[in-house]
Amino acid sequence: MLDESLLDTPEGLAEADRRGLLRGAAEAGARVRTAARHAAEAGVGDLKPDGRPRSVLIAGPGAAATHTADLLSTLAGPGSPVIRLAPTGVAPAAGALRWELPGWAGSVDLLLIATPDGTEPSLSLLAEQAYRRGCSVVAVAPARTPLADALAAAHGLLVPMATTPYDQEEPLAASSPGVFWALFTPLVALLDRIGLVNAPPDALEKVADRLDGVAERCGPAIATYSNPAKTLAAELADALPVVWTEGTSAGPAGRRFAAALAELAGRPALVAELPEALAAHSALLAGPLAASADPDDFFRDRVEDPPALHARVVLLRDRPIGGISAAPAARDLALSHDTPISELEPEEGGDLETLAELIAVTDFAAVYLALASGA
């Protein structure tokens, strides 16, 4: 059950936030600026690449690498060479995870490592393997860790992660907003330098400004009725989120939102892109999870029984390609099944800015839902 009164009690939210998630979301803009400065000090801006790499391989634990690879692949556009190396192992622990380079990886490929930990033995071995194969290696990780030492031995480039005292050394840290931006920012700056994405320093400064603006609108001191993140969290209190996305930036933002809901708030969510989502989820909205599917059982104790879980559509929109939008059809489908719908659409700006706004608002919403539900 969601404690909606907690949403409008900043002191209560701060007390419940034992993992520093709200602070990570509020300080996302500052984290982007610090991470960009670390990238510049590490020499990313001075690199003189000899053409584009054939592939960009990304390795790292959990949500950190997954979301970073997803966003970088989206920003790189059609035919993106960004490939995530999924780990194997018996447990999601630093000593149990294993990464391997593909057999074809060689001197024309680039390996990126993104981790908020840096103690994973397999990532150090991966850097050594890449060096033997002739791959270029760049890592974003905490300084003074075994991975940092391995990067030095492999003649790779280490960008020290922009950390804060409240970053937690636990799997959930990968989904915390601050950790995500600390890992993503240096890598997107690197890919700008080699010509795969468009993210010059002034664009990253605009991203930081946009994140600051979202923090002002969605911070814990802002009341629910005028706070889009708290409003969305309250709307999802007893709902199954069905996240539909439209536009280039909205896709990875929706997938990150669904993952954050599961990892931070312990809530299941479905995600799909329009217009395919209309066919993929049509039966779901007409089935037992539909808002109109609650049977009129006169003998059911509606006070003692927990509320039934019903679908709620969350529509994340960016500028649709060619100006053609499936949003009207999405609204019609939801309303035809009495399914409520929440909509988020960023202000105009570059791809990075709109992406940042959608991620920031939904990150705040996932954190509020986690704190108010005691997750």
Side-chain angles (χ1 to χ4, degrees):
M1 295 293 293
L2 186 78
D3 182 3
E4 292 194 33
S5 64
L6 184 64
L7 292 177
D8 286 325
T9 311
E11 297 81 5
L13 287 170
E15 184 178 349
D17 188 18
R18 295 180 297 274
R19 292 172 286 178
L21 298 175
L22 267 180
R23 284 185 294 180
E27 297 174 5
R31 194 78 75 110
V32 167
R33 295 186 184 92
T34 302
R37 185 175 71 250
H38 285 189
E41 292 172 352
V44 168
D46 298 327
L47 294 176
K48 296 178 174 58
D50 185 17
R52 295 185 179 185
R54 175 181 61 181
S55 69
V56 177
L57 308 171
I58 298 183
T66 301
H67 299 158
T68 297
D70 190 12
L71 268 64
L72 292 178
S73 179
T74 299
L75 292 171
S80 166
V82 177
I83 302 171
R84 184 199 172 213
L85 299 181
T88 58
V90 297
L97 294 173
R98 298 288 183 271
W99 288 267
E100 291 288 341
L101 283 179
W104 46 262
S107 60
V108 292
D109 303 301
L110 171 64
L111 172 64
L112 305 180
I113 299 176
T115 174
D117 189 338
T119 66
E120 302 91 346
S122 184
L123 287 180
S124 297
L125 294 174
L126 185 70
E128 296 173 7
Q129 183 185 19
Y131 173 64
R132 292 194 301 269
R133 297 266 199 97
C135 295
S136 300
V137 187
V138 178
V140 182
R144 296 180 295 277
T145 58
L147 179 60
D149 296 337
L151 259 289
H155 301 285
L157 175 65
L158 173 71
V159 179
M161 179 183 162
T163 59
T164 63
Y166 55 83
D167 285 339
Q168 300 296 310
E169 295 181 359
E170 56 177 312
L172 287 177
S175 280
S176 70
V179 171
F180 165 72
W181 290 109
L183 295 175
F184 171 76
T185 303
L187 296 183
V188 77
L190 173 69
L191 294 196
D192 170 76
R193 188 63 185 166
I194 63 179
L196 279 179
V197 303
N198 182 26
D202 62 328
L204 293 179
E205 184 61 34
K206 290 180 180 178
V207 167
D209 292 341
R210 183 69 67 98
L211 292 172
D212 288 343
V214 172
E216 292 177 1
R217 292 189 290 119
C218 299
I222 307 301
T224 299
Y225 68 86
S226 59
N227 187 321
K230 287 184 178 180
T231 298
L232 180 57
E235 290 171 344
L236 296 179
D238 300 311
L240 171 67
V242 180
V243 183
W244 291 347
T245 67
E246 183 176 57
T248 302
S249 299
R255 290 186 286 273
R256 173 171 169 81
F257 184 37
L261 286 172
E263 193 168 2
L264 299 182
R267 300 295 185 96
L270 301 174
V271 61
E273 296 187 15
L274 293 176
E276 288 88 350
L278 301 180
H281 293 158
S282 177
L284 182 148
L285 296 186
L289 292 176
S292 58
D294 188 19
D296 187 15
D297 185 353
F298 180 80
F299 297 101
R300 181 167 65 89
D301 189 336
R302 297 179 184 273
V303 175
E304 296 296 332
D305 288 356
L309 187 68
H310 294 308
R312 183 182 188 98
V313 171
V314 180
L315 179 57
L316 304 183
R317 298 188 64 210
D318 191 11
R319 294 156 297 175
I321 298 175
I324 300 174
S325 175
R331 297 186 191 101
D332 289 344
L333 178 63
L335 295 177
S336 68
H337 294 294
D338 296 325
T339 300
I341 185 168
S342 304
E343 295 192 40
L344 289 178
E345 186 172 351
E347 298 177 4
E348 292 187 3
D351 286 344
L352 268 177
E353 291 175 79
T354 56
L355 175 65
E357 181 175 342
L358 287 173
I359 288 177
V361 174
T362 51
D363 274 351
F364 265 109
V367 170
Y368 284 131
L369 193 59
L371 298 181
S373 59

